[in-house]
Amino acid sequence: MTLSDHLPVLQVIVPLLAAPLVILLRNGFLAWLASLLTSLCALGLGSQLTATVLAHGPQHYHVGGWAPPFGISLSVDAFSALLVLLISGASCLALAGGRLSLRRDIDNRRAPMFYGAWLIAVAGLSGIAVAGDAFNVFVFMEISSLATYILIAGGRDRRALSAVFKYLIIGTIGATFYLIGVGFIYMMTGTLNFDDMAVRLEGVIETRPVVIAAGFITIGLALKAAIFPLHVWLPRAYTYAPNAVTVFIAACSTKVALYVLLRFNFAVFHGNLLGHSELFSAFVIPLALSGILIASLVAVYQTNLKKLLAFSSVAQVGYIALAAGLTSASGLLAAMLHMFNHALAKGSLFLCVAAFALVSGDTSLKRLQGIGRRMPWTMGAFVIAGLSLIGVPGTAGFISKWYLIVAALEFGQVGFLLVAAIVVSSLMAVAYLWHFVEGAYYGTPPAGESSPMEVSLPLRCLIWVAALSNIFFGLFPQLPLALARSGTSALLQGGLY
Amino acid sequence: MSAEMLPWILVLPLLGALAIAFCGRWPNLREGISLLTAVTLAVLVFSQAGGVMDGARPYILLTEPLPGLPIALSLEPLGMMFACLASFLWIINTIYSIGYMRGNREKHQTRFYVCFALAIAAAMGVALADNLFTLFLFYECLTLSTYPLVAHKGDQKTLASARVYLGLLLTTSIGLLLPAIIWTYVTAGTTRFTLGGIIDGNLDGPAIGLLLGLFVFGIGKAAVMPVHRWLPAAMVAPTPVSALLHAVAVVKAGVFAVTKIIIYIFGVDFLFAQPSAQWLQYAAAFTIIAASVVALYQTNLKRMLAYSTIAQLSYVVLATVVLKPLSEVGAALHIAGHAFGKITLFFAAGAIYTAAHKTELSQLAAIGRRMPITTAAFTIGALSMIGVPPTVGFVSKWFILAGSFQAENYLAIFTIIASTALNAMYFLPVVYFAWLAPPSPDVDMNHGEAPWPILLALSVTATLTIVFFFFNQPLIDLEQQLVQSLPLESRP
């Protein structure tokens, strides 16, 4: 066995083992550097894994050489690979772009611990993406959640404590619901492995415990994924977390919960439960629609840029959920694409926000008046990423919105209404972004803060790379498309055993 | 002459914008680069014209982000004309801008020139678009790149108006145009501009009228009522920007897109036979008359010109939906003809503002004595708007009327005659007032002509307005190709 055969497990092992080593470092800078190098390493492994999956199909890995019913099995298909790329990429982006911002937010004494928690979060999230059975998903979910709580509360802003407490309670309820559901399924099938589950459920379909399990799992994960109206933990957690942490979690944490939601519902339940499509659509679509519209509307009235973008995230999670709720292959394709593209746009946007905060010290819209004239480069990148969030053609956001609209039109009569809602909410996205952009370019800066003051050149370059990647993947979306296509077919085949 | 040159038509103004941004500290160099880019672009565009006139249709695929939705460029007669028009007027507008921006000591001039170059690049993209998707892409770029120009002043009033501008154009394009494009794509399987249209056989009955409505109102830049509000709102912009909006690129991109969609997406013959598509001529006729009547009551020079533009744009729409070969040629000619007349009028209005700081019609008494060249140019522009020979406005009106007679479309004939009268009613008194009225005692008359770049620019456009009356054959030949495949009598 060569090293490349161990890629799935390395994805988890590398950050997990690096975490305690990072904690041993005494110096904040060294800890940061080690975390960044580990993330880069994870990104490299993830790219390698993605290439393997694209070339040779899904990869299965048995930890310690123990076969599935007894040992831990990992399985990686294109959908998992997409997630792995997102997680490691977001971690690199947030760490590389957030050095100054983290140095300011995190107490130097505690910095090694903080970065240790960061790596554990990366390991946990990656673990969810590669795990092949429901229980390990739960274990990794707990690992990543606990680490994320530390990250969010790790800054100087004391308001983060109450925010994270809310997140903790709701996250635990979500995880518990998930565990209850998994328990029921284990009771009926005697297995935790996704593939086995899909096969054995066939014998026990339409028994009440299975239906209840589906309900518990879906709701529990919807809580974690912040599907409206279960999103209440998200805006405050995003807003009061250290800026670099927001870049990281906004890009990938809700996506991972959505990943599990989709995997369970489509690979396991979809082919087995009678009428699952209708039930899932009836549950998810109304929530997603109201999320898209209401959260966008709320975002228009925010006075803090981070909170504004957080509500926009709730709306965007709604898009993904809506696409999945269409329960068609094209819908799933749109959902996966939007996970990727939204992570790209939101990551870039929050990175710009972190840069703004470095200069202005605050992210309230009032303090950010005139920031576009002080920081023209960062602001230009913000506008580009914002266009991608709106879904203007030529940007990545358009690609996924296009597939979403095509999928909605295939959905039948209701499709037109869905398209109308998507169009309306895109316009609302224009409104809430312009609310900030206009003030940033034409507003009067707070007294004494009018001189141009850009962030350092490397950070500016990174911000622009992130922003331009939105355009690159809008013009050449082959990579995410290939992943989403292959992921969709893998997911739907899983349900057809 | 080859298709490989097409991307450069887009790239060149982009490079220009970049160079301008880096030379912001040296105004002379910056403006020099602006001018150089404009001239190079015009040479590049005009070098393509010969090939297109000989029947070449260069085509190049840039990328295909979505299956069936490529981003591709191509040239055909209508786009060729629009590209020539915009690139040529950009040169003159740059000369004018230099005079205007310096004369009025405007701030943020670098931003102005950068956004101007970006807007031209977007306009070139609209002109060269090979399919609806590409057109939409550049249409949105045009909206976004002109927003900073409209909001140039940056005070509260300007921002509110700029918000109307951006809000209306984005709302209509995302809310109506995009669904129309998706609908076309879903039913026809392609969005490529094809002679004869792609709708025929894919859609029928009232749906045609609905789709047409989504397109026409979705293209807010064509300013068919009731989506015209952005145009008067955008009058807060500096005059060179108004010229850009009204003559060079923006509204022209709107009517160009409408014309192109009717010819290449619906197909003239097909649409002519559709009863459900007839409503558009009523909407266009209403817009012409209503906008002219509103223009009668304006007291501000630029606002009057804005409403005049709304009426003139609907001339193009009306000419297009008369759906006869001659009227299609007339529509294409009117896009060009109106551009020369209107840019002259705006240049004159800007000259008056720069030299005398006058914006209201009532302040113009006897201004012809102080600013004879400007007022003469204004007169020529006004005559062209009315359609009096020897100005280019007459030529396009002639073709539109001829097409209307061909179709025996009395609505169009009546509308054109009535609006000609209305045009005369609001332009001639201003001309008379400016030349012959006694100077009023409470208006400051201590001023001369505007700076020379302004005078040069408006003299050139005024001269061209007349010259085009005599030498319009190449353009007519070019646009005849639009309709060559259309039989003269297309109704069974």
Side-chain angles (χ1 to χ4, degrees):
Chain A
M1 266 187 142
T2 58
L3 194 65
S4 64
D5 294 325
H6 296 285
L7 278 175
V9 76
L10 284 177
Q11 204 66 51
V12 186
I13 293 287
V14 168
L16 198 61
L17 289 186
L21 298 178
V22 165
I23 295 175
L24 290 179
L25 294 171
R26 279 296 181 205
N27 176 307
F29 175 76
L30 284 180
W32 169 81
L33 190 66
S35 320
L36 178 61
L37 289 177
T38 312
S39 299
L40 283 172
C41 180
L43 181 61
L45 291 169
S47 318
Q48 187 67 36
L49 185 60
T50 309
T52 318
V53 168
L54 279 179
H56 305 295
Q59 303 287 305
H60 296 282
Y61 181 87
H62 303 152
V63 178
W66 295 88
F70 311 105
I72 296 172
S73 83
L74 306 179
S75 65
V76 180
D77 61 10
F79 192 17
S80 326
L82 183 90
L83 261 287
V84 165
L85 278 186
L86 277 190
I87 295 160
S88 49
S91 171
C92 292
L93 184 74
L95 282 171
R99 191 177 77 84
L100 290 174
S101 156
L102 284 169
R103 197 170 66 187
R104 206 152 84 174
D105 285 341
I106 311 298
D107 192 357
N108 196 37
R109 261 180 323 116
R110 286 196 311 204
M113 311 265 231
F114 176 85
Y115 289 114
W118 185 299
L119 287 180
I120 291 174
V122 172
L125 292 169
S126 311
I128 299 175
V130 299
D133 66 77
F135 188 72
N136 278 310
V137 165
F138 172 74
V139 172
F140 284 124
M141 206 189 284
E142 286 299 282
I143 293 177
S144 66
S145 303
L146 291 173
T148 313
Y149 304 144
I150 297 173
L151 294 186
I152 293 175
R156 296 187 194 280
D157 193 336
R158 306 320 285 166
R159 286 173 296 184
L161 292 180
S162 66
V164 92
F165 188 69
K166 205 172 187 180
Y167 184 17
L168 177 80
I169 299 291
I170 294 180
T172 309
I173 294 175
T176 310
F177 270 34
Y178 172 79
L179 191 62
I180 293 174
V182 171
F184 274 121
I185 292 199
Y186 183 66
M187 186 174 84
M188 300 308 292
T189 62
T191 180
L192 290 167
N193 185 291
F194 283 126
D195 295 342
D196 290 341
M197 227 184 256
V199 178
R200 294 199 195 168
L201 265 182
E202 211 170 344
V204 290
I205 40 167
E206 295 310 299
T207 55
R208 192 159 289 163
V210 174
V211 179
I212 290 175
F216 267 115
I217 289 172
T218 305
I219 292 178
L221 291 171
L223 266 169
K224 284 255 175 201
I227 291 175
F228 184 90
L230 310 174
H231 69 280
V232 283
W233 58 270
L234 185 143
R236 286 168 58 86
Y238 278 22
T239 309
Y240 301 126
N243 295 322
V245 173
T246 314
V247 176
F248 178 49
I249 59 173
C252 63
S253 75
T254 52
K255 314 285 184 301
V256 172
L258 282 164
Y259 161 83
V260 184
L261 184 70
L262 294 193
R263 179 149 298 259
F264 239 112
N265 271 293
F266 288 93
V268 178
F269 295 136
H270 189 65
N272 291 313
L273 280 183
L274 211 62
H276 171 265
S277 302
E278 288 75 17
L279 266 178
F280 188 67
S281 298
F283 174 68
V284 168
I285 291 183
L287 296 188
L289 265 188
S290 33
I292 291 173
L293 294 173
I294 296 173
S296 301
L297 189 66
V298 174
V300 175
Y301 294 100
Q302 292 309 307
T303 53
N304 183 313
L305 183 57
K306 277 177 92 180
K307 212 168 211 173
L308 184 155
L309 291 176
F311 274 105
S312 145
S313 276
V314 176
Q316 302 283 331
V317 165
Y319 282 125
I320 302 172
L322 174 65
L326 300 172
T327 61
S328 60
S330 50
L332 279 180
L333 181 73
M336 290 183 198
L337 270 180
H338 202 61
M339 282 189 192
F340 184 86
N341 292 338
H342 173 241
L344 217 56
K346 245 335 140 32
S348 320
L349 285 172
F350 273 118
L351 192 61
C352 296
V353 174
F356 292 146
L358 274 181
V359 169
S360 75
D362 193 354
T363 57
S364 68
L365 292 186
K366 211 167 176 185
R367 291 275 302 171
L368 290 175
Q369 294 275 316
I371 198 82
R373 291 202 299 270
R374 302 183 70 195
M375 307 173 69
W377 287 99
T378 312
M379 193 60 209
F382 186 94
V383 170
I384 291 177
L387 293 178
S388 179
L389 191 69
I390 296 168
V392 173
T395 61
F398 177 76
I399 304 287
S400 38
K401 256 189 201 162
W402 176 272
Y403 276 102
L404 176 56
I405 287 178
V406 169
L409 285 177
E410 282 174 14
F411 193 62
Q413 290 300 317
V414 195
F416 285 100
L417 278 178
L418 299 180
V419 173
I422 294 166
V423 167
V424 168
S425 74
S426 300
L427 291 171
M428 282 151 101
V430 176
Y432 61 67
L433 282 177
W434 223 258
H435 186 51
F436 165 65
V437 169
E438 191 188 272
Y441 275 120
Y442 298 102
T444 357
E449 299 184 6
S450 53
S451 55
M453 193 174 157
E454 266 289 4
V455 286
S456 66
L457 186 66
L459 179 51
R460 256 184 284 168
C461 289
L462 187 72
I463 287 174
W464 268 86
V465 167
L468 288 180
S469 69
N470 281 295
I471 292 191
F472 176 80
F473 284 111
L475 296 178
F476 307 99
Q478 282 79 8
L479 171 73
L481 254 181
L483 285 173
R485 280 232 170 81
S486 153
T488 306
S489 60
L491 209 55
L492 288 178
Q493 262 165 24
L496 295 176
Y497 273 117
Chain B
M1 312 304 127
S2 58
E4 281 70 44
M5 294 304 286
L6 293 184
W8 288 103
I9 295 181
L10 297 186
V11 171
L12 195 70
L14 288 181
L15 289 179
L18 211 59
I20 293 166
F22 280 110
C23 299
R25 252 174 265 166
W26 306 281
N28 289 333
L29 183 61
R30 177 186 65 198
E31 267 107 291
I33 291 173
S34 278
L35 208 52
L36 183 71
T37 317
V39 172
T40 323
L41 179 69
V43 170
L44 192 60
V45 170
F46 277 84
S47 71
Q48 301 281 332
V52 174
M53 209 171 293
D54 294 338
R57 299 287 180 267
Y59 167 86
I60 187 167
L61 174 75
L62 296 183
T63 168
E64 190 162 352
L66 294 165
L69 284 180
I71 296 180
L73 305 177
S74 69
L75 267 179
E76 44 71 54
L78 197 62
M80 187 72 246
M81 182 209 66
F82 179 45
C84 286
L85 181 75
S87 62
F88 175 69
L89 288 182
W90 188 28
I91 306 177
I92 302 175
N93 205 332
T94 308
I95 300 172
Y96 182 84
S97 303
I98 296 169
Y100 183 92
M101 300 304 277
R102 291 187 176 189
N104 286 306
R105 295 197 180 78
E106 295 275 352
K107 286 180 191 159
H108 309 300
Q109 293 198 17
T110 307
R111 184 177 77 197
F112 172 87
Y113 287 107
V114 169
C115 290
F116 218 109
L118 291 179
I120 294 294
M124 291 296 135
V126 171
L128 267 57
D130 179 63
N131 52 48
L132 279 173
F133 176 61
T134 314
L135 180 89
F136 183 70
L137 174 70
F138 289 111
Y139 180 94
E140 296 294 54
C141 289
L142 187 57
T143 308
L144 294 170
S145 59
T146 45
Y147 168 80
L149 294 173
V150 173
H152 188 82
K153 249 187 209 159
D155 55 18
Q156 281 310 316
K157 187 170 151 277
T158 312
L159 284 183
S161 298
R163 221 173 288 143
V164 174
Y165 174 81
L166 188 77
L168 202 77
L169 287 182
L170 278 186
T171 310
T172 51
S173 65
I174 296 180
L176 303 173
L177 179 58
L178 186 60
I181 293 175
I182 295 171
W183 193 3
T184 311
Y185 174 71
V186 171
T187 51
T190 175
T191 66
R192 188 157 184 202
F193 292 120
T194 315
L195 203 58
I198 54 175
I199 298 292
D200 195 0
N202 293 314
L203 212 58
D204 222 348
I208 305 281
L210 184 63
L211 183 62
L212 185 66
L214 287 178
F215 271 122
V216 170
F217 293 118
I219 300 173
K221 291 193 172 96
V224 176
M225 282 183 180
V227 290
H228 66 284
R229 293 296 299 260
W230 63 272
L231 199 50
M235 284 298 95
V236 292
T239 311
V241 177
S242 303
L244 169 82
L245 296 177
H246 286 257
V248 183
V250 177
V251 297
K252 293 296 174 279
V255 283
F256 164 76
V258 170
T259 313
K260 196 155 176 175
I261 284 168
I262 286 180
I263 294 180
Y264 291 105
I265 295 294
F266 287 100
V268 175
D269 294 344
F270 172 67
L271 206 57
F272 193 83
Q274 296 296 324
S276 67
Q278 300 305 315
W279 63 269
L280 182 54
Q281 39 180 308
Y282 295 97
F286 173 78
T287 305
I288 295 177
I289 301 292
S292 302
V293 170
V294 175
L296 268 179
Y297 290 97
Q298 296 305 312
T299 55
N300 177 298
L301 178 57
K302 277 174 82 180
R303 283 187 76 86
M304 185 188 90
L305 293 180
Y307 278 100
S308 155
T309 300
I310 295 170
Q312 299 281 337
L313 292 176
S314 278
Y315 268 55
V316 179
V317 177
L318 183 65
T320 313
V321 292
V322 165
L323 299 168
K324 280 291 164 187
L326 280 178
S327 70
E328 301 300 329
V329 176
L333 283 178
H334 201 68
I335 293 180
H338 170 248
F340 283 105
K342 198 41 81 51
I343 201 170
T344 310
L345 288 169
F346 270 106
F347 280 175
I352 292 169
Y353 176 73
T354 309
H357 296 287
K358 289 173 182 166
T359 54
E360 305 301 311
L361 291 175
S362 57
Q363 298 169 325
L364 296 184
I367 201 152
R369 299 182 198 174
R370 291 282 169 183
M371 307 177 71
I373 303 177
T374 306
T375 315
F378 186 89
T379 311
I380 293 170
L383 292 179
S384 181
M385 287 300 119
I386 304 168
V388 181
T391 59
V392 62
F394 174 77
V395 183
S396 48
K397 232 173 221 182
W398 173 270
F399 272 92
I400 298 174
L401 270 178
S404 309
F405 275 109
Q406 211 177 28
E408 295 182 11
N409 189 330
Y410 294 105
L411 174 79
I413 297 168
F414 167 77
T415 310
I416 292 168
I417 292 173
S419 82
T420 304
L422 283 166
N423 286 347
M425 275 164 71
Y426 63 80
F427 270 120
L428 290 183
V430 179
V431 170
Y432 169 83
F433 196 59
W435 284 116
L436 300 172
S440 87
D442 46 318
V443 173
D444 177 28
M445 293 293 286
N446 280 326
H447 58 80
E449 286 277 10
W452 67 265
I454 294 185
L455 282 188
L456 176 67
L458 62 85
S459 313
V460 171
T461 54
T463 316
L464 282 175
T465 308
I466 293 179
V467 168
F468 249 66
F469 175 77
F470 298 102
F471 301 102
N472 46 30
Q473 207 52 45
L475 190 59
I476 293 177
D477 286 344
L478 183 64
E479 298 316 319
Q480 289 282 9
Q481 292 186 11
L482 265 184
V483 290
Q484 258 166 12
S485 56
L486 308 176
L488 275 176
E489 194 44 65
S490 51
R491 194 105 189 239

